[in-house]
Each structure stands twice: as C-alpha cells, then as structure tokens.
Amino acid sequence: MTDRDFARIAERIARMAGIVLEEHKRQMIHSRLSRRLRALGMGSFTAYLDHLDAGRDPAELQEFVNSLTTNLTSLYREAHHFAHLEKHVLAPLSQQTAPRLRIWSAGCSSGEEPASIALTALEAMGNAPADIRILATDLDTGMLARAAAGQYPADRAADIPQRFARHLVRSECRRFVSLPPAAQGMIAYRCLNLLEPWPMTGRFDAVFCRNVMIYFSQPTKAALIDRFAALLTPGGYLYLGHSESILGQHGDLEACGETVYRRRTP
Ligand SMILES: C[S@@+](CC[C@H](N)C(=O)[O-])C[C@H]1O[C@@H](n2cnc3c(N)ncnc32)[C@H](O)[C@@H]1O
C-alpha cells in the first residue's frame, strides 16, 4: 500500500463515514482491505481504489465501509449506564399509567447494546404493559445483519448480573444466548449513517451513542452532539462512551457524571 493509496483510503472513509484513520492504523487497514482485494481478484490497492472511484459498484463501497469500521461491543458494556437507565428512566416510567419510552442506540454494532437496554427494560417493567421501542442503527450492514439475528456468544454473557441473565434464552447447542421475544420485540434495526440526514421525526427519551464518535473529527463530533441534543425530550439522557464527552459546555445539555448528559428542561 503506497502513501498515496493510504491517503485515498483515509479521504474516502472520512467522507463516507466520518472515520478519521490515523497513520498507526495502516497495518490494520492493509490487512482488512487485502481481503477485499482477494475477493475481487485485484492485484493492487490502486486498482481497488480506482474501482471504487469509478462509482459503478455500490455493493463494494459498502464492503469498503464495513471493512473499516471498528465493532467491538459486549452485553452490559459500561454497566453503570444501564444502572443509570434503570434508576432514572425506567423506575419513574413504571409509575406512569401509560408508560411510553423511545430509546436510540446509535452505532449499535452487532446489537449487544440495544439488547442490554431491552433486557434492562424487561427486568424493570416486569409484566406491566409498556410501550417501549428501541431503535438500533449502524452503517455497517454486516454488523446489522448479526444484530438482527439476535444471537450472542454465551461465554460473553457469563458476567452479566443474574437478574438480567435469567431472561436470556439458551440455544440448543448452548453456545449462544438470545433475548426472549418480549425484549426482542422492542428493538427495530435500521441502517443509518450518522453523517446523513436522520429520518426520525419523534423525540427520544434516551440516546446511546457510545464508542462511536471517538473515531470522528472534532467538528463532526460537535455537530452530532447538537443533533442528539435537539432530538432528546427535555429531561432525556445522552449516554456517551467512557472516553467521550460533549466537548465542554453545551447550552442544552448538563453533565450528570460518568459520561451521561441530560437535556435541560425549559
Ligand atoms: C465500537 S462500536 C460501538 C458499539 C456500541 N455502541 C458499544 O459501545 O459497545 C462503533 C460502531 O459505530 C459504527 N459507526 C461508525 N461510523 C458510523 C457512522 N458514520 N454512522 C453510523 N454508525 C457508525 C461502526 O460501524 C461500529 O459498529
């Protein structure tokens, strides 16, 4: 991979997905995209990039994006956020006569984050009827397909608290766990690029966008934070990853600690 190839890859993924590729990722990019070159029988990165530039292969453009996303996730990752959700969002909701809740998992990867939200909601609401919907989005179509399949490796569920784990359904081979239908039915999976216009019209009581913006430039992060804030109901919460922040003060959001932010009430 020449310097020029790397620069073209970096420019393209920044433009398409907002992802900033740093020089130290070069070896990883080389190995991930080499698989695409082999799949297409191409002998050089230059030929591959020329193929993408020609614009006649939208499926390969998607493969290119899928190859360059980082998808690490797990059930109950950063577990304090689910404890916060339970205490500050679900507990008050369970007191209402017609509970209604809208949550967005933005950058859901293979689905463990929305699954954890659904499981927490199921445990918190018990058998009480509630209108709870979780929108789970990502731009990586491979990850979304895995998320929609709704199966998680059983060994990765071993550490989650028993009161949530008890709802999980074990596969016959015992290698996978899945959500019970009542929790799975709360989640809708959609392909969505955060950089593009968002089709949702209603507001959300909580937005999880964790470990997604770390890959973006400062202006992209700032623009997204404004858009998330505008989409939250007053008093709604924005959950970011442990190394992320709203970049200083924000007129509409107040910090609640542990990378949780609350939309101010008028
Ligand atoms: C590290 S995973 C985070 C998964 C989960 N939120 C968590 O914290 O465990 C980051 C996800 O962000 C997605 N992503 C990256 N750029 C995106 C974009 N422009 N629009 C939507 N999703 C994006 C990637 O595909 C990836 O699945």
Side-chain angles (χ1 to χ4, degrees):
M1 183 189 288
T2 64
D3 288 352
R4 172 89 187 109
D5 292 335
F6 184 72
R8 287 174 75 188
I9 292 165
E11 184 280 323
R12 178 172 277 286
I13 195 64
R15 180 162 38 88
M16 291 181 76
I19 296 170
V20 177
L21 288 186
E22 282 151 15
E23 182 63 32
H24 68 89
K25 298 248 174 94
R26 195 160 163 155
Q27 191 49 47
M28 185 186 80
I29 305 306
H30 183 284
S31 105
R32 289 187 185 183
L33 287 181
S34 291
R35 279 179 233 142
R36 296 311 312 153
L37 265 63
R38 278 197 295 278
L40 296 173
M42 287 184 175
S44 74
F45 286 96
T46 306
Y48 179 65
L49 290 161
D50 288 346
H51 177 73
L52 296 184
D53 284 353
R56 285 190 293 272
D57 192 351
E60 188 53 41
L61 281 174
Q62 184 67 56
E63 293 291 350
F64 170 81
V65 171
N66 291 1
S67 300
L68 297 183
T69 57
T70 301
N71 309 111
L72 181 74
T73 188
S74 57
L75 288 166
Y76 285 90
R77 179 182 195 184
E78 300 182 44
H80 50 274
H81 285 159
F82 303 98
H84 182 282
L85 182 77
E86 192 171 16
K87 184 171 172 193
H88 296 279
V89 179
L90 292 160
L93 190 78
S94 63
Q95 307 301 315
Q96 294 176 9
T97 41
R100 180 186 187 277
L101 187 65
R102 297 291 179 263
I103 299 183
W104 181 16
S105 168
C108 66
S109 187
S110 46
E112 282 82 344
E113 182 176 271
S116 307
I117 298 169
L119 218 48
T120 307
L122 189 70
E123 171 67 15
M125 304 304 292
N127 290 327
D131 174 11
I132 298 178
R133 285 203 234 151
I134 301 160
L135 174 65
T137 66
D138 204 284
L139 96 163
D140 183 329
T141 50
M143 285 301 130
L144 267 182
R146 275 177 56 180
Q151 288 209 314
Y152 316 97
D155 54 352
R156 288 171 59 189
D159 295 335
I160 72 175
Q162 184 51 28
R163 66 194 186 94
F164 301 121
R166 70 191 176 96
H167 297 289
L168 291 168
V169 182
R170 274 189 182 271
S171 66
E172 251 175 55
C173 67
R174 308 200 67 75
R175 283 182 28 237
F176 299 100
V177 291
S178 55
L179 293 178
Q184 188 65 51
M186 296 176 191
I187 310 172
Y189 301 94
R190 299 278 182 274
C191 188
L192 180 76
N193 185 342
L194 289 171
L195 261 50
E196 289 176 2
W198 300 342
M200 304 83 89
T201 46
R203 292 203 177 181
F204 289 88
D205 303 291
V207 173
F208 284 67
C209 186
R210 305 183 312 158
N211 310 298
V212 179
M213 290 193 287
I214 30 170
Y215 306 105
F216 297 166
S217 68
Q218 294 292 98
T220 305
K221 288 179 197 178
L224 275 177
I225 289 160
D226 286 348
R227 294 172 78 195
F228 287 135
L231 208 64
L232 280 170
T233 52
Y237 291 97
L238 173 64
Y239 297 86
L240 302 183
H242 64 282
S243 64
E244 298 166 322
S245 75
I246 56 164
L247 312 173
Q249 300 293 317
H250 192 285
D252 292 332
L253 297 169
E254 60 191 4
C256 307
E258 296 188 303
T259 60
V260 182
Y261 300 88
R262 186 167 187 264
R263 162 111 195 215
R264 290 180 213 278
T265 44

